[in-house]
Each structure stands twice: as structure tokens, then as C-alpha cells.
Amino acid sequence: KIKFLHKNLLVVIHPLTLSENKSYDKDFNLLFINKILKALSKLKNTRIIFSKPNADFGYFTILNKIEDFANKNKNSNILDNLGSLMFLSLLNNVDMILGNSSAGIIEAPSFNIPTINIGDRQNGRVKADSVINCKINDKDILKKIDIAYSTNFKNKLLKVKNPYFKKNTSNKIIQVITKKINEDYKYKKFYDL
């Protein structure tokens, strides 16, 4: 029941939990979500589709702000419990994913869409060239969204390789498991009691 507009964003924001030498609290999560929503409120002719945050500490802070935003902005939807199929279908139909979820790092590059990765929650992960890292700052978020929509960046997306994709992964996993099972159970084992 989502009515797509000229531009369409999937927003996946999870609570900030830990960072180097810092424990994030409710107030920091509030500041974090407010900066993102301030940027999103300035977008025109854009469908904003929120996926609910995960249940880490700070969940209610973020969810309450998202719900309030969606109630005031008719171009917004909040989706709950998407499941893999619906989530991947959304990735296939939006212009980009914005937030701090691993989905923007791991799944989104396979769809050749940009990821606006906000903050340091995904630091340390290998990232495809489709990922644009962004500060927790409404001006920087808007700037990075503009970059993602630029012709130069769209051309760059055509050549993106997902570093988390390997061809025939399922078959390789089955082969490794089958080999291990065959080695372990090749000979009947007896135990001396």
C-alpha cells in the first residue's frame, strides 16, 4: 500500500549502543534521530519509508520520534517486521537506503543503490563503493543525499561490486558440510567404556 513518489528512500535507523570510549545513552539517541529527521523533513516529492529500529537500548526513543514524524508527514510510512522478501523487494524499488543498518552495507550493494551510512555503527566493515559515509549532521546528510542522486554517482553505481557476494555460495557451503560429514562418518566409531 505504499505510493511511490518521484524519489523514494528506505530509512533504517537503529539505536546507537557503543562506540570507542563512549556509551551512548537515551539523550544521544534523541540527538541522533532528531538530526536525521530534520534532514528528511526538508526533502520534497520524496517517499520516506521507515523500517522500525531493532530492540537495542534506545529503541523507544527512536521509534517514538519516527512515529511522530510519520504522523506529521504524509509522505512517510512505517513498516514493521518486513521479513527478508519484503525488505529485499523494497531495496529493489527505492532510490537508496539511509541510516546506520548493516543492510546498507551488506545487501544494498547487490541492488546497485546508494547507502547513506550515518555515524559509526558500521565502522570496521568492508564497504562497497555504493556506500557514502556521513556524519550525524542534518546538513551533511542532505549533502550526501544530493551526491547519491548525482549523475556521476549513478554512473559509478553501474560498476559496483558487493564485497559480500560470492557466486555459488550455497553450493560451496553444501560441499564443505558434505565433505566434513563424510570425513567424520567414514568409519564406524567405537568407544571403549
Side-chain angles (χ1 to χ4, degrees), residues 67-84:
E67 288 174 340
D68 187 49
F69 181 89
N71 286 334
K72 293 176 182 172
N73 295 275
K74 298 304 173 200
N75 64 325
S76 300
N77 298 82
I78 302 174
L79 303 177
D80 188 21
N81 300 323
L82 295 176
S84 296

Side-chain angles (χ1 to χ4, degrees), residues 18-32:
L18 295 174
S19 179
E20 290 181 26
N21 307 317
K22 184 186 262 186
S23 174
Y24 290 120
D25 60 13
K26 179 182 173 185
D27 292 337
F28 197 86
N29 278 298
L30 185 61
L31 174 71
F32 174 61

Side-chain angles (χ1 to χ4, degrees), residues 10-11 18 28-29 35 43 57 61 63-64 67 73 78 104 107 116 132-133 139 148 162 166-167 171 187:
L10 176 57
V11 181
L18 295 174
F28 197 86
N29 278 298
K35 293 285 185 183
L43 299 177
F57 178 78
T61 300
L63 181 61
N64 290 339
E67 288 174 340
N73 295 275
I78 302 174
E107 286 90 1
I116 308 297
I132 303 170
N133 291 311
K139 289 182 175 97
N162 188 339
K166 299 290 181 227
K167 193 172 183 176
N171 290 336
Y187 301 102

Side-chain angles (χ1 to χ4, degrees), residues 82-93 111:
L82 295 176
S84 296
L85 184 59
M86 183 175 284
F87 187 80
L88 296 174
S89 294
L90 270 174
L91 280 179
N92 196 44
N93 288 286
F111 292 84

Side-chain angles (χ1 to χ4, degrees), residues 48-164:
I48 302 168
I49 305 163
F50 291 97
S51 175
K52 287 188 177 180
N54 68 19
D56 287 339
F57 178 78
Y59 165 85
F60 288 111
T61 300
I62 291 175
L63 181 61
N64 290 339
K65 294 300 287 185
I66 288 172
E67 288 174 340
D68 187 49
F69 181 89
N71 286 334
K72 293 176 182 172
N73 295 275
K74 298 304 173 200
N75 64 325
S76 300
N77 298 82
I78 302 174
L79 303 177
D80 188 21
N81 300 323
L82 295 176
S84 296
L85 184 59
M86 183 175 284
F87 187 80
L88 296 174
S89 294
L90 270 174
L91 280 179
N92 196 44
N93 288 286
V94 296
D95 302 319
M96 70 184 74
I97 183 170
L98 181 141
N100 62 353
S101 172
S102 62
I105 309 300
I106 297 171
E107 286 90 1
S110 292
F111 292 84
N112 294 95
I113 63 168
T115 296
I116 308 297
N117 178 51
I118 304 171
D120 62 5
R121 192 172 195 270
Q122 299 303 324
N123 279 2
R125 288 189 190 262
V126 173
K127 296 179 182 114
D129 290 338
S130 58
V131 177
I132 303 170
N133 291 311
C134 182
K135 298 174 189 165
I136 302 171
N137 174 304
D138 53 297
K139 289 182 175 97
D140 197 40
I141 293 167
L142 290 170
K143 178 181 172 186
K144 300 301 168 74
I145 290 171
D146 285 343
I147 289 170
Y149 276 119
S150 72
T151 302
N152 285 344
F153 199 80
K154 286 181 181 180
N155 289 336
K156 183 179 181 180
L157 290 172
L158 299 173
K159 301 173 192 161
V160 166
K161 301 281 187 236
N162 188 339
Y164 293 94

